[in-house]
Amino acid sequence: MTGVRVGIVGAGIIGASCALTLARQGHQVFLLEPETPGGPHAASHGNGGWISPASIIPMATPGLWKKIPGYLLDPMGPLTLRPTSLPHLFPWLWQFVRAGSTVQRVRNTTTALHQLLQDAPERHREMAQWADATHLLHHQGLLYAYPDRHAFAQEAQSWQWRREHGLNWIELEGDALHAQAPALHPDYRLGVWVPSAAWCSDPGQYVQHLVAAAQRHGARLIRTTVHRLRLQQGRCDGVDTSQGSLALDQVLIASGIRSRHFAQQAGDRLPMASERGYHVVLPHAALELPVPVMPSDGRMANTPMTSGLRLAGQVELAHPDAPPNWARADVLLGHARRCYPALQDPERCRDAARWMGHRPSTPDGLPVIGPSPRHNGLWYACGHGHVGLAAAARTGLLMAEFLRGQRDSAVLTPWQIFGLERFER
Ligand SMILES: Cc1cc2nc3c(=O)[nH]c(=O)nc-3n(C[C@H](O)[C@H](O)[C@H](O)COP(=O)(O)OP(=O)(O)OC[C@H]3O[C@@H](n4cnc5c(N)ncnc54)[C@H](O)[C@@H]3O)c2cc1C
């Protein structure tokens, strides 16, 4: 199936990656997006920039349910739940806790995410070459920092799962850690450096480069809001937009947190919640931090970006339309000041910019990549949660395989793993 008219709803990192990959393969691509692709409205704008084969550990792990009352009570913890959003979130939360309830379930999730992320830096390198965007990607690895071996041992199970999937890392003790990240507080004595990982120093710009490259391959970017799917007799044959109706052979939903709206129209079961995250960018931080760092106690990505040092993290489960709680961004800044002594200087924290975005998250921690169970011609590529940037290039390749009619590639059996049917079993 080549040369078909494919409409992609949403030009975040997922829609943009799919658009470029499909346009290169000769499809007629229509990218439908009301905003500037990669702009601050999208999760793809403000993320931590990590492209890591190590990002295979889901949020839900055994014993999580015991911690939920504490999360409700501590509004500033790394994971919080707005009590007012509880009725709206309850069904999702139930499935979320269940997905992490046994070691076997978590192991299945890590295996699936490993299949998606194992070669993420290489796939992005290739995609960035197509888009003249290699200057935005950096392949010097990523660093996890711990105060000591005891703190590292608390996460031994996660690292064991990573090792089982063949991930290699280098442990840096004391001075070796500080040689790698001179700005870190001396209290951090153990580093875990994942040399195969990469990062993006401007995720929003990266999306724009991908979209521009897709356009060079013939894709059309139409600045419009998609309101409805055109559905009849088990088939989706187009969309109704704010600029009128568009006839299409295939429709791909890549609208981030808004994807659920279209699944509802199609009668498909797509459980999705917003795991809201925040960032603070410090344009004048000027830290000696040649690679991004994740301090174990702060659970945030500290990434050198073109705009400054970005502190990205926090998980806040709340209704997508609830207003931001900027105190959560302040938590990130407070923690960074403890991690990097140089940030005690107020001058380095001047002009800090704050942002909030929605991780489009499924309860089982896996994206949805595959067809609608009910309508021919309707596809989903959404729900990438914490790993949407990292998984984007592979998602585009999978969608291209699906549209070619190849259900199972040599390395993956994705149809069963990532398909929407899993929520209907
Ligand atoms: C704080 C934070 C840190 C993160 N860090 C990382 C990280 O380090 N590494 C990583 O891999 N991931 C990270 N993520 C996750 C990652 O950012 C997301 O998984 C990813 O951006 C999701 O991309 P998307 O294209 O699905 O959604 P989005 O980027 O939200 O794009 C969806 C697009 O759909 C459009 N749209 C919506 N409705 C319609 C409609 N009706 N018609 C047309 N278009 C529509 C929107 O305007 C938007 O442009 C992080 C997320 C957050 C919040």
Side-chain angles (χ1 to χ4, degrees), residues 13-369:
I13 187 66
I14 300 297
S17 302
C18 292
L20 175 53
T21 311
L22 296 178
R24 278 175 52 87
Q25 301 206 347
H27 295 289
Q28 277 182 64
V29 173
F30 298 84
L31 192 49
L32 310 168
E33 166 64 62
E35 308 281 348
T36 303
H41 66 283
S44 304
H45 172 86
N47 59 54
W50 285 42
I51 300 173
S52 177
S55 302
I56 60 170
I57 312 298
M59 288 294 291
T61 47
L64 176 83
W65 62 273
K66 291 186 213 155
K67 299 179 188 159
I68 286 184
Y71 292 149
L72 280 165
L73 292 172
D74 178 8
M76 291 306 136
L79 191 159
T80 59
L81 196 52
R82 285 210 189 167
T84 48
S85 299
L86 200 55
H88 157 80
L89 282 170
F90 192 77
W92 185 93
L93 210 52
W94 172 252
Q95 291 179 67
F96 175 69
V97 171
R98 194 165 166 273
S101 60
T102 66
V103 167
Q104 190 51 47
R105 285 198 167 119
V106 177
R107 184 169 272 131
N108 293 345
T109 306
T110 61
T111 303
L113 286 176
H114 168 70
Q115 292 189 1
L116 209 52
L117 299 179
Q118 57 183 320
D119 60 354
E122 290 75 26
R123 296 288 66 79
H124 273 281
R125 194 198 296 267
E126 182 180 67
M127 191 166 69
Q129 279 165 357
W130 301 339
D132 296 330
T134 50
H135 60 290
L136 298 174
L137 297 187
H138 310 270
H139 293 265
Q140 288 97 339
L142 297 166
L143 188 60
Y144 297 76
Y146 293 86
D148 50 33
R149 285 219 166 259
H150 177 70
F152 180 55
Q154 312 255 307
E155 295 182 7
Q157 174 70 86
S158 297
W159 288 102
Q160 175 60 27
W161 280 322
R162 290 172 175 130
R163 193 182 291 288
E164 283 171 14
H165 291 301
L167 185 81
N168 290 316
W169 64 84
I170 295 166
E171 293 179 13
L172 304 170
E173 302 265 7
D175 292 347
L177 167 62
H178 291 276
Q180 184 81 318
L184 254 185
H185 196 287
D187 281 355
Y188 291 93
R189 304 301 301 158
L190 180 71
V192 176
W193 178 47
V194 180
S196 60
W199 86 93
C200 175
S201 53
D202 193 332
Q205 272 288 318
Y206 188 39
V207 172
Q208 290 191 10
H209 275 74
L210 299 179
V211 171
Q215 288 175 295
R216 289 196 292 277
H217 283 279
R220 279 187 59 201
L221 171 65
I222 304 178
R223 298 291 293 271
T224 190
T225 300
V226 175
H227 293 308
R228 291 203 66 78
L229 303 172
R230 284 178 18 181
L231 302 166
Q232 47 187 335
Q233 294 168 348
R235 187 161 176 81
C236 179
D237 67 0
V239 291
D240 292 331
T241 79
S242 48
Q243 294 178 23
S245 203
L246 184 65
L248 296 161
D249 300 313
Q250 309 287 329
V251 174
L252 173 60
I253 304 301
S255 346
I257 191 62
R258 304 293 169 191
S259 302
R260 199 174 153 190
H261 168 69
F262 296 107
Q264 278 168 345
Q265 287 179 17
D268 290 336
R269 200 169 136 61
L270 171 55
M272 187 185 280
S274 164
E275 285 189 63
R276 293 143 55 113
Y278 291 79
H279 85 210
V280 176
V281 172
L282 302 176
H284 311 291
L287 292 187
E288 267 195 279
L289 210 58
V291 293
V293 175
M294 183 168 297
S296 64
D297 44 352
R299 305 223 156 271
M300 57 175 175
N302 302 154
T303 309
M305 299 254 169
T306 45
S307 53
L309 177 68
R310 180 176 290 182
L311 319 166
Q314 298 277 315
V315 173
E316 181 187 45
L317 288 165
H319 193 281
D321 298 325
N325 175 5
W326 293 119
R328 302 199 62 80
D330 297 339
V331 171
L332 294 170
L333 183 54
H335 193 272
R337 282 197 166 120
R338 290 191 290 281
C339 287
Y340 309 104
L343 294 184
Q344 294 300 333
D345 175 0
E347 193 54 27
R348 290 184 187 242
C349 298
R350 194 164 51 82
D351 302 329
R354 302 183 298 186
W355 171 90
M356 187 274 285
H358 302 280
R359 298 181 188 90
S361 296
T362 61
D364 63 6
L366 297 178
V368 175
I369 311 169

